[in-house]
Amino acid sequence: MGEDGRRGPQKSGPEHGDRPWRPVRPTQPPIGPAVPPQSRGAAPGAAAGAGQGGVEEWENPFVRWMRTPRPEAGPGIWRFGHVPRPPDQADRMSDRQLLGGAALALISGLLVWSLCWNGVITIWLWPLDWITLDAWRDTGAMVAAGYLYYGLFILLLVYVFGRIGRWREVWTRFLEPVLSAQQPDGTQEDTEAEDPVAWPELRAAGLVGEAEVLGGAARGGGMNDVDLARIARAWESVRARPDRLRAFADSVRRDGPAACPHPSGLRDIGRRAYRHDLVTGQVRIGAAPDDKRNPYAYRGGGIALEPALLGTGLLAVGPAGNVVSDRLTGPVAELLCLQALAGQAAVVVVGAAGAPLGDDDAYDVVIRIADPSSPHDLDLYGGTADPDEAAALLAEALLGGDEADWAHARPAVTVLGQLIGAYQSAHGTFPGVAELRGLLDGDRAALAALRRDCAAVAEGAPEDGADPFAADRAVAALRELDARERQLSRPGDVGARLAGRLAVLDRPVFARFFDTRGRGRQFSMRALEHPMRVRIVLPERTHAEASRVLARLLLAQFTAAAPARSDRSLFAALVLDDAARTASPESVRAIGRLRAAHAGVVLGLRGLDDVAEPVRGPLLAAVGCRMALTGVSTWDGRHFAEAWGAEWVEAEDVTHVPDVSGGLIRKLLRWVRQVFTGTKAMSRSVTVRTVERERWSASELANTLPPGHAVLSVTTVDGERTPPVLVDLHH
């Protein structure tokens, strides 16, 4: 059931032909209702609910998880149970100093008042004597004025010694929290109105019965975090389109927490390895140590990623084994798969076999390139019907990896467009790998056969219902073929170069893949308008160069398809576990345009050496989130240091010079000391100045990062930035 309560997907299928998309169901049964893993592993203090008191919160961890506060915090801070640090923590006085000073001020104030009251200090009475006459001294009005005067003087003493002893800060730090904890939080009605278990949004819309159904499922253990996020997402669609209200209500009454399901019918993935909070859409990747190099607000808190950050793009560099997969691409892939089940995202995860990117049953579509048992195939042209767009995507895949080939990119698009367009005019489909390779290589027989087919279409009479412009396109294709044959005789023709790059895909192991005649179940990036979970396994161990070509092809297809979606409510993401040799000037520009399309890419690299030198800086500038893990080289660290920039800090310069001050006696004593100790008396001078220094230098990134740590900076889609934060990836 879709978000509006209707069965099945809402749009036509993304596969070739008119067949609707049907995700492959795993062989295992769907996972039943489960408590979110993070609620079981959270500390008791963090998991304590803010709702009504009683036994219920302690008997049902899912209810505690729902009621756990998630305060607003800076970008990248794990908000589940987060406790903001008090302001100015570094500069405030210690508790002992504050209480000691307050006590000393109180004793001093009492001592002054005692001396004044006993007549030891009489100067405080002089103003009263100056303004009164002797005849007034014994009157009742004078007695009342005297007590008023005493009260004003006491208030003056309290104000003066209160300022000296900082009594106001003592009240704010120690007494006010105690009194606030003892006061009632509000009435029972106010508590229920803010309790997420009661579904106040549905009650406010008049869906009281539906709110009771969902609240009962949450209290009874029949709901999980994916159900909560999925129904919340469906409710957002109802608020955007009120005509869906009735279908939504019917679905909730009929199916309860299983309402508005994902097209696969699943309510959870099989096995979770990371901590998630689907209320905020975050996945925790580590914690920020209490280090002076970290921003104050981040110290001691958890660090998390979410679509609001991934929408700006993320680049992670870590050469140590599979640390990028274990600590970054794996958690992000699992988060996006959960959000896809909740109807919030569509994700394509690309990596080698064995990479820790989740089990196959966590995905709807699994494509194993070069594996005959793969149930799905990959569309070589990304689902487009435009030959020029197909030519641009394929040219990026074939020539985007090497700097020496970038100068041939534009001629390559022209050549591919000529041949692909002519083949489409003659046969109605795009050419397969073998056919396109032969045409690019200048096979005279293949070109002659294509010319005959185009001529037959141009000369044939149009049939009823046929495309009336097919003949015109065939005539234009003949002119393109004439131009292509003239280019074959010229030196430096790019066709041979393209044919050589395409040859890595024209292998027997890939024979059943990249079919263009609709004989297989093909996946294309045009399917990203559905909440899909796609896993593409590349044969990096046996066909490394072909895997690089396919990775570039998938990146080009994604950056072209994501902005072209008609419905951008889903967050679309591409996770490339190994993005080596995928960056080119065109792909870097395309990554920068994804932010406005509610889409993003996650790129993992073992080192920046896998990126051509001219685009290393532009790639770091195009992504909003940058991550350097333990083991980066000083060369890689230099690029990160330049991207993170510098900041103004106070530096102390200490100078030691021989002490020559004083008279004869002091000089004599210093001489005697030098004779017996062998050291000269030195004077020390300190100069404090403001200087500009790198936030993290290349040497620090390469040499001082502890194992299992990383330095991460993030940017939100709204433009809010954070300085680089040291992250412990083990917590």
Side-chain angles (χ1 to χ4, degrees):
M1 179 174 298
E3 295 174 354
D4 58 354
R6 295 194 298 269
R7 293 284 179 181
Q10 300 299 313
K11 298 189 178 182
S12 60
E15 300 173 348
H16 276 286
D18 296 327
R19 292 174 295 174
W21 168 58
R22 293 287 188 269
V24 177
R25 292 176 178 266
T27 56
Q28 299 180 358
I31 303 297
V35 176
Q38 59 268 42
S39 64
R40 295 194 295 265
Q52 311 166 29
V55 184
E56 178 184 307
E57 289 95 341
W58 300 104
E59 291 182 346
N60 191 335
F62 180 73
V63 173
R64 287 205 314 272
W65 175 82
M66 287 184 66
R67 291 173 174 167
T68 299
R70 296 165 174 86
E72 293 295 329
I77 294 180
W78 174 251
R79 291 172 51 192
F80 179 80
H82 173 66
V83 179
R85 293 172 65 91
D88 300 327
Q89 181 74 19
D91 299 332
R92 77 170 186 173
M93 185 180 295
S94 65
D95 294 347
R96 179 177 178 180
Q97 288 178 320
L98 182 61
L99 293 176
L104 180 60
L106 178 61
I107 294 172
S108 301
L110 293 175
L111 179 61
V112 171
W113 172 248
S114 177
L115 294 175
C116 294
W117 183 259
N118 293 320
V120 178
I121 302 177
T122 59
I123 189 173
W124 69 288
L125 293 173
W126 291 354
L128 184 63
D129 294 336
W130 294 340
I131 63 175
T132 58
L133 300 176
D134 294 340
W136 296 356
R137 298 297 172 87
D138 297 330
T139 62
M142 185 59 193
V143 174
Y147 280 112
L148 178 61
Y149 182 79
Y150 295 156
L152 294 175
F153 186 76
I154 291 174
L155 292 177
L156 178 63
L157 289 180
V158 171
Y159 175 77
V160 172
F161 286 96
R163 290 291 301 271
I164 296 175
R166 298 188 177 186
W167 293 351
R168 186 173 182 178
E169 187 174 349
V170 172
W171 170 269
T172 304
R173 189 183 301 186
F174 299 103
L175 300 180
E176 190 176 31
V178 176
L179 296 177
S180 300
Q182 294 176 354
Q183 294 178 355
D185 294 335
T187 63
Q188 184 75 10
E189 291 77 8
D190 294 338
T191 302
E192 290 181 356
E194 299 177 358
D195 187 4
V197 183
W199 292 87
E201 299 89 351
L202 300 186
R203 294 179 182 273
L207 302 180
V208 179
E210 289 75 7
E212 291 292 341
V213 170
L214 297 177
R219 296 184 182 93
M223 178 181 288
N224 62 13
D225 56 342
V226 177
D227 297 332
L228 178 67
R230 187 186 65 253
I231 296 174
R233 160 73 177 177
W235 177 246
E236 288 180 2
S237 69
V238 170
R239 290 193 300 177
R241 295 184 56 182
D243 58 302
R244 298 182 176 182
L245 179 61
R246 183 173 181 178
F248 172 82
D250 293 342
S251 178
V252 172
R253 285 194 301 268
R254 182 177 59 253
D255 301 324
C260 310
H262 184 265
S264 66
L266 299 181
R267 297 168 57 190
D268 202 349
I269 61 176
R271 178 179 58 90
R272 300 193 191 185
Y274 308 97
R275 297 181 62 185
H276 304 275
D277 181 25
L278 294 185
V279 174
T280 58
Q282 292 183 314
V283 57
R284 180 169 176 143
I285 61 171
D290 192 359
D291 190 281
K292 64 180 182 180
R293 291 173 293 187
N294 279 341
Y296 174 76
Y298 287 77
R299 297 176 189 173
I303 301 299
L305 296 174
E306 57 184 301
L309 306 177
L310 301 177
T312 64
L314 190 150
L315 175 67
V317 179
N322 283 334
V323 65
V324 174
S325 304
D326 292 332
R327 305 299 179 184
L328 181 68
T329 55
V332 170
E334 187 171 285
L335 169 68
L336 295 172
C337 285
L338 291 172
Q339 289 187 329
L341 284 180
Q344 299 174 348
V347 59
V348 178
V349 181
V350 182
L357 299 174
D359 300 330
D360 287 355
D361 59 2
Y363 297 92
D364 301 309
V365 175
V366 179
I367 305 173
R368 297 184 178 275
I369 305 296
D371 186 349
S373 63
S374 176
H376 286 82
D377 189 6
L378 181 65
D379 190 340
L380 186 67
Y381 300 100
T384 181
D386 184 357
D388 293 328
E389 182 180 357
L393 297 177
L394 199 54
E396 174 65 22
L398 298 177
L399 301 181
D402 296 326
E403 180 183 356
D405 292 333
W406 294 345
H408 304 283
R410 192 175 297 276
V413 173
T414 302
V415 171
L416 287 170
Q418 291 171 338
L419 297 177
I420 294 175
Y423 195 94
Q424 184 189 40
S425 299
H427 303 284
T429 62
F430 289 162
V433 174
E435 293 86 350
L436 183 59
R437 181 190 176 187
L439 295 173
L440 289 172
D441 211 15
D443 187 345
R444 298 295 180 180
L447 289 172
L450 180 58
R451 174 180 290 278
R452 287 194 302 270
D453 294 337
C454 288
V457 174
E459 296 173 359
E463 300 178 358
D464 293 339
D467 185 1
F469 301 102
D472 296 336
R473 284 197 296 269
V475 172
L478 290 173
R479 292 197 299 268
E480 295 289 348
L481 289 177
D482 292 337
R484 178 66 197 133
E485 290 181 353
R486 290 193 299 269
Q487 293 170 358
L488 286 174
S489 59
R490 298 175 183 175
D493 177 55
V494 74
R497 187 185 296 265
L498 291 171
R501 298 289 190 274
L502 191 61
V504 299
L505 300 181
D506 189 18
R507 308 293 301 166
V509 71
F510 302 126
R512 57 143 291 190
F513 290 89
F514 320 122
D515 182 70
T516 59
R517 293 176 174 82
R519 294 175 295 186
R521 304 183 64 187
Q522 286 196 327
F523 164 78
S524 74
M525 291 293 179
R526 303 291 172 177
L528 293 178
E529 294 194 9
H530 302 272
M532 295 189 67
R533 303 166 296 158
V534 182
R535 173 76 163 97
I536 300 178
V537 183
L538 300 180
E540 292 186 358
R541 186 177 61 85
T542 55
H543 299 84
E545 186 58 31
S547 298
R548 297 289 179 264
V549 171
L550 292 174
R552 291 194 296 269
L553 178 65
L554 291 169
L555 178 59
Q557 291 180 355
F558 178 83
T559 55
R565 295 178 298 163
S566 58
D567 181 9
R568 297 184 180 180
S569 60
L570 294 178
F571 176 73
L574 174 67
V575 180
L576 277 176
D577 184 59
D578 186 2
R581 297 298 173 187
T582 59
S584 67
E586 181 58 34
S587 64
V588 169
R589 286 191 291 268
I591 290 173
R593 293 191 293 265
L594 292 177
R595 184 178 309 188
H598 198 204
V601 296
V602 179
L603 307 177
L605 288 173
R606 304 301 178 256
L608 287 179
D609 289 341
D610 292 332
V611 178
E613 176 66 30
V615 295
R616 292 176 189 172
L619 177 60
L620 283 169
V623 297
C625 304
R626 310 174 187 96
M627 189 175 191
L629 292 93
T630 303
V632 297
S633 64
T634 53
W635 292 274
D636 292 349
R638 174 172 55 85
H639 290 282
F640 279 98
E642 293 176 354
W644 284 327
E647 61 181 345
W648 291 99
V649 297
E650 289 188 350
E652 293 186 353
D653 294 333
V654 181
T655 305
H656 296 274
V657 296
D659 189 1
V660 295
S661 62
L664 180 61
I665 297 178
R666 290 188 62 184
K667 292 180 180 179
L668 179 61
L669 292 176
R670 286 197 295 267
W671 178 80
V672 172
R673 176 187 174 185
Q674 181 179 354
V675 170
F676 282 92
T677 63
T679 59
K680 292 183 178 181
M682 307 293 289
S683 63
R684 180 174 177 266
S685 63
V686 179
T687 303
V688 180
R689 55 194 179 92
T690 303
V691 298
E692 191 176 22
R693 288 184 178 174
E694 292 179 328
R695 300 179 187 272
W696 280 85
S697 67
S699 179
E700 288 176 325
L701 292 172
N703 302 314
T704 64
L705 279 186
H709 286 64
V711 178
L712 170 69
S713 67
V714 298
T715 304
T716 67
V717 291
D718 296 328
E720 186 177 358
R721 299 176 179 269
T722 66
V725 179
L726 178 65
V727 182
D728 185 355
L729 299 176
H730 294 299
H731 292 82

